[in-house]
Amino acid sequence: MQAPKRRGGRGKSSSMSRIPARLNVLLGIVILMLGALGWRLGTLQIAQGKQFKAEVNSSDSSIEQVNVQRGIIYDSTGKALVTNSGSQAITYTKPKNVTEGDMYKVANEVSKYVRVDTKQLSDANVNKYYIQDEQRAADLAKQAGITSAPGTDKYVSELTDYAKKNQVQLTSEQKNAAMIFQKMENAYALSTVYLKDKGVTQGEIADIGERQSKMPGVAVGLYYQREGSKNSDESLASLVGGVSKSGLPEERVNSLLQEGYSRDDTVGISGLEKQYEDTLKGTKRRIEINVNQQGNTTQKVLYGGKAGSNLHLTVNAKFQKDVQEILKSQMPGGLTQGAYAVVMNPKTGGVYAMGGVNRLNDGKLQDDALSTINRAEVVGSVVKPAMITNGLLHGTITPENNTIVDQPIRVAGTSVKASYFNPTGAQSIPLTASDALEVSSNSYVMQLMLQMAGQPYHADMTLNGLNTNIFQTMREGFNRFGLGVKTGIDLPGETAGLRGDTDRSHIGNALDETFGQYDTYTTMQLAQYVSTIANGGYRMEPHVVQSIEERSDRSKVRQTETTIAPKSLGSVGWTPAQRQVIWDGMDKVVNGSSRFVTGKKLQDLKPGVYAKTGTAETFTNGQPTITSSLIAFAPNADVAMAIVVPGVSQSAELVNIPIAKEIYKAYWKDVESPKNVPGQNTN
């Protein structure tokens, strides 16, 4: 009887037999591919190797990047503030795969015909240059007892250390060559550096031009130097800014090299030159240079380059200069630390002038327009329109119901705080919100804050129940106008100011915050703030660049590239009735009938202005002083102003008034005719 077959036995045997067959197929494919690759490699190396080698040796190709003119900066009237002066220069474009020995030979050749300044020659490069000469290196190695094989890293390292310790000396001719060698070394492959960019003589140009075949990478080019025009003066220097004088600034060299700059490039380091670096620098010209085996050179322009774009500013140079002179002439002596003013268009944010004068420790005055954005002060009562607006927006007061009785504020644990016109509380004076602005009532805004926090004032109350969140509530209201936050101006280095502590131990300072005696603000913030009041409640971003104009080196045709459009950063969110409360109060500051009105001496200005003055108590060099401040705008006109003068003695606290009057007069003379303001009597 036949034995039964095992189930599945045949299928298992068949599967096992197919596996080696698949491997054989794959192995065969791999062998064929390797064979094809080997055949192709042999063809390239044997049959075509000589051809490729000849092509490699036949020429050396490199890309040279040539600098273009930097953009020009103009004021609002079209006057050039910063221009360029071009001069001939000796340049070096570092070829690919060049050795130190090659550069040493070229540097020595160039030095026969070109004299350079050697003040920046480093000791390290003196040593490196010295040992490039084989005979000097051998003599030095023998003197030092160095036994390492010449040319090895160890040999070079030991030679360098010995040269450093023994302070090798160079002749004046060798120093000249070493400086050229140092400049060449500072370049990276295919980048261009200046071997000499000032005082290049016609003889040097001729000598280099005739011998370029012996100096690979060396050429005659152009160097553009930045210079101020006759329309610019010191008052604009910090605003316009500056450029690097001798290549890239050391603290930024690595990051700038990664961005494609060469070590010898000019780059903006401050002010508008830095802020608008990408716009002003332009795009370099790119030239492909080919050198054949015979040393003959051919050039091909890959890109013609594009000159930097021009900046047209909102700043009027004449007005800027006048503002600066007014600040200098009106600033009190003594401990006064400086004087700062910003005048801007409240509808667009365009800055007409930003003047700044610092008094140095030796008493000398320093022009510094950027102090208006990087120096913050306590500014006093000019913040009261914002504080009262905060009360209106929170519903604590309304346009119809906003009367509070002025009285000294006596709170347990704090000193008595009162309005300057009612220090003892001999009389109870009911004030509306606009009245409070007219007479600058400290009591009004302190009581307003307490009501906002749900703790209405009563004599000898404590602040134990006052929530520290009231600081945030007030600051959010101030921020709506631009106080305590960066304005966004198109200049580097802006500060937001300092904020005081808000923990429980500082709760008493909430009273000081209401009338500008705690946090600090910049003059530019005040200008943005008063502009927000003037334009109906829109916080406009300040800017000093009005438009950017593209240039072309070839056609010299100018074409407007970008116009800076007005930019709103937010809205106060008030109703017309709420805004009118503030306008009425600032009108009364100048034109009110109270004997305590603070801005009465501005009444004779035509066109008329609305304003708010401020004084903040400070200490300067241990002496009690004040910060005198002012904000003002001309209704129906395109001008608003902010002034801050810190460190003033109490006898000169109203210095803000004469400064404001003179600046407004200069504005109507330099920038705009008062006849353009509707509804104003200018007679």
Side-chain angles (χ1 to χ4, degrees):
M1 187 174 180
Q2 188 176 0
K5 295 180 179 181
R6 293 181 179 179
R7 184 176 298 177
R10 182 177 179 181
K12 187 174 183 180
S13 176
S14 175
S15 175
M16 292 294 291
S17 67
R18 284 199 300 270
I19 292 176
R22 291 175 180 173
L23 288 175
N24 288 334
V25 171
L26 290 173
L27 186 59
I29 293 172
V30 170
I31 292 172
L32 288 173
M33 292 177 67
L34 289 173
L37 183 62
W39 175 81
R40 181 59 178 162
L41 184 61
T43 301
L44 292 174
Q45 286 184 323
I46 299 172
Q48 296 176 280
K50 292 183 179 180
Q51 176 186 345
F52 289 129
K53 186 175 181 180
E55 289 181 5
V56 169
N57 293 330
S58 66
S59 65
D60 181 25
S61 176
S62 64
I63 305 297
E64 179 179 356
Q65 298 190 66
V66 181
N67 286 334
V68 296
Q69 287 199 55
R70 198 167 174 85
I72 299 172
I73 301 178
Y74 298 92
D75 84 335
S76 62
T77 67
K79 296 176 182 176
L81 303 178
V82 182
T83 58
N84 306 296
S85 62
S87 59
Q88 289 185 300
I90 309 299
T91 67
Y92 175 68
T93 302
K94 191 173 185 177
K96 293 182 293 185
N97 303 319
V98 68
T99 65
E100 286 185 346
D102 294 334
M103 287 189 291
Y104 172 78
K105 293 176 183 177
V106 173
N108 284 331
E109 186 68 22
V110 173
S111 71
K112 295 176 184 177
Y113 311 103
V114 177
R115 303 297 299 181
V116 299
D117 187 345
T118 61
K119 291 179 182 177
Q120 300 298 319
L121 179 61
S122 68
D123 292 338
N125 274 281
V126 167
N127 299 330
K128 184 175 288 188
Y129 173 84
Y130 189 87
I131 65 175
Q132 289 297 319
D133 183 273
E134 292 182 3
Q135 187 58 53
R136 286 198 302 258
D139 292 344
L140 202 63
K142 183 178 180 180
Q143 182 180 337
I146 296 172
T147 58
S148 302
T152 62
D153 290 344
K154 185 177 181 182
Y155 176 79
V156 173
S157 177
E158 289 175 341
L159 269 181
T160 302
D161 289 342
Y162 185 79
K164 181 179 179 181
K165 290 177 182 177
N166 288 270
Q167 298 181 343
V168 297
Q169 300 296 316
L170 300 180
T171 67
S172 60
E173 295 295 329
Q174 290 171 333
K175 286 182 179 180
N176 188 63
M179 190 70 227
I180 294 172
F181 177 67
Q182 176 177 307
K183 289 174 178 283
M184 289 178 171
E185 275 224 308
N186 283 340
Y188 58 89
L190 306 184
S191 71
T192 301
V193 295
Y194 292 102
L195 300 182
K196 186 173 184 179
D197 54 32
K198 295 177 183 177
V200 180
T201 68
Q202 291 302 312
E204 289 173 331
I205 292 171
D207 288 335
I208 294 296
E210 292 171 0
R211 298 168 175 81
Q212 281 187 264
S213 61
K214 298 181 180 180
M215 308 171 185
V218 179
V220 176
L222 281 177
Y223 175 73
Y224 294 106
Q225 186 173 5
R226 209 65 162 149
E227 61 179 23
S229 77
K230 63 181 181 180
N231 300 309
S232 183
D233 58 21
E234 292 183 1
S235 68
L236 283 163
S238 63
L239 172 61
V240 171
V243 296
S244 54
K245 299 296 184 183
S246 55
L248 303 180
E250 190 63 32
E251 67 275 9
R252 297 170 57 201
V253 64
N254 291 331
S255 61
L256 290 171
L257 288 175
Q258 291 176 0
E259 293 177 23
Y261 285 85
S262 298
R263 288 184 180 272
D264 270 16
D265 281 348
T266 293
V267 62
I269 56 175
S270 62
L272 289 170
E273 294 277 18
K274 180 178 181 180
Q275 185 75 13
Y276 285 89
E277 167 64 20
D278 290 342
T279 300
L280 291 166
K281 71 178 181 180
T283 308
K284 293 183 178 181
R285 192 180 187 204
R286 297 177 68 245
I287 302 174
E288 183 180 60
I289 301 176
N290 294 289
V291 183
N292 62 21
Q293 229 173 356
Q294 289 73 40
N296 298 320
T297 302
T298 59
Q299 296 185 3
K300 179 182 178 182
V301 178
L302 301 179
Y303 175 63
K306 179 183 175 184
S309 296
N310 300 331
L311 301 183
H312 287 262
L313 307 187
T314 61
V315 175
N316 181 301
K318 176 64 167 60
F319 182 49
Q320 172 76 19
K321 183 177 181 180
D322 285 347
V323 168
Q324 199 74 5
E325 291 302 319
I326 291 167
L327 293 175
K328 287 181 179 179
S329 63
Q330 295 289 340
M331 185 175 73
L335 297 173
T336 306
Q337 299 167 295
Y340 315 99
V342 174
V343 186
M344 64 187 287
N345 186 322
K347 298 174 184 175
T348 67
V351 175
Y352 299 122
M354 44 189 295
V357 180
N358 296 325
R359 175 168 278 123
L360 305 179
N361 291 334
D362 60 5
K364 294 181 180 179
L365 300 184
Q366 176 192 59
D367 292 314
D368 186 9
L370 294 185
S371 289
T372 59
I373 67 170
N374 61 34
R375 176 165 180 157
E377 307 285 348
V378 288
V379 294
S381 296
V382 291
V383 308
K384 288 175 181 174
M387 185 62 206
I388 291 175
T389 298
N390 214 357
L392 289 165
L393 294 177
H394 280 82
T396 307
I397 55 176
T398 68
E400 300 77 25
N401 184 10
N402 51 58
T403 299
I404 297 176
V405 174
D406 186 279
Q407 55 186 311
I409 304 301
R410 294 181 173 86
V411 172
T414 67
S415 59
V416 176
K417 300 178 187 296
S419 303
Y420 82 99
F421 60 88
N422 190 22
T424 64
Q427 50 185 333
S428 295
I429 307 173
L431 298 173
T432 65
S434 61
D435 293 337
L437 290 176
E438 176 185 9
V439 298
S440 198
S441 171
N442 292 345
S443 177
Y444 187 98
V445 290
M446 286 188 283
Q447 292 184 67
L448 178 60
M449 178 274 294
L450 292 170
Q451 289 184 30
M452 288 171 59
Q455 299 287 322
Y457 172 72
H458 61 83
D460 300 320
M461 67 181 292
T462 69
L463 299 181
N464 294 336
L466 190 64
N467 196 315
T468 56
N469 288 340
I470 191 59
F471 282 105
Q472 184 63 23
T473 299
M474 287 190 285
R475 285 170 177 166
E476 287 175 354
F478 293 157
N479 293 168
R480 289 172 181 261
F481 290 94
L483 295 175
V485 292
K486 291 183 179 181
T487 66
I489 192 169
D490 52 343
L491 286 167
E494 182 181 19
T495 181
L498 297 176
R499 294 186 172 192
D501 293 331
T502 59
D503 54 72
R504 172 56 55 183
S505 65
H506 290 85
I507 192 63
N509 293 119
L511 297 169
D512 302 320
E513 180 79 347
T514 65
F515 53 95
Q517 194 71 51
Y518 197 45
D519 291 349
T520 65
Y521 311 109
T522 67
T523 311
M524 187 62 68
Q525 287 176 7
L526 292 185
Q528 187 181 57
Y529 160 47
V530 69
S531 293
T532 305
I533 296 173
N535 68 31
Y538 296 94
R539 183 162 67 96
M540 304 304 295
E541 183 176 75
H543 58 94
V544 295
V545 174
Q546 180 62 46
S547 62
I548 300 172
E549 183 180 68
E550 184 179 0
R551 293 197 304 159
S552 170
D553 277 339
R554 288 166 292 177
S555 65
K556 296 184 179 179
V557 174
R558 296 181 177 185
Q559 177 182 357
T560 297
E561 180 180 305
T562 305
T563 297
I564 308 301
K567 181 179 179 181
S568 173
L569 302 178
S571 171
V572 172
W574 54 17
T575 66
Q578 291 170 336
R579 189 210 68 171
Q580 195 60 46
V581 170
I582 305 303
W583 272 41
D584 288 345
M586 294 181 70
D587 180 13
K588 289 180 178 180
V589 168
V590 178
N591 302 303
S593 58
S594 171
R595 64 190 179 94
F596 300 115
V597 65
T598 59
K600 191 171 185 177
K601 291 184 178 181
L602 296 173
Q603 283 183 1
D604 59 346
L605 283 177
K606 302 296 181 183
V609 299
Y610 294 173
K612 182 69 190 79
T613 62
T615 56
E617 296 178 358
T618 57
F619 282 88
T620 305
N621 296 337
Q623 301 296 317
T625 54
I626 64 169
T627 297
S628 181
S629 59
L630 179 142
I631 57 173
F633 66 94
N636 304 315
D638 296 336
V639 57
M641 176 199 301
I643 296 168
V644 177
V645 187
V648 178
S649 64
Q650 293 184 357
S651 61
E653 69 173 278
L654 295 181
V655 64
N656 49 8
I657 300 293
I659 290 176
K661 293 179 71 171
E662 292 302 314
I663 289 178
Y664 265 112
K665 290 176 182 178
Y667 173 83
W668 298 119
K669 175 171 61 76
D670 297 337
V671 181
E672 182 183 3
S673 170
K675 295 179 181 179
N676 296 335
V677 181
Q680 290 285 346
N681 178 13
T682 60
N683 294 329

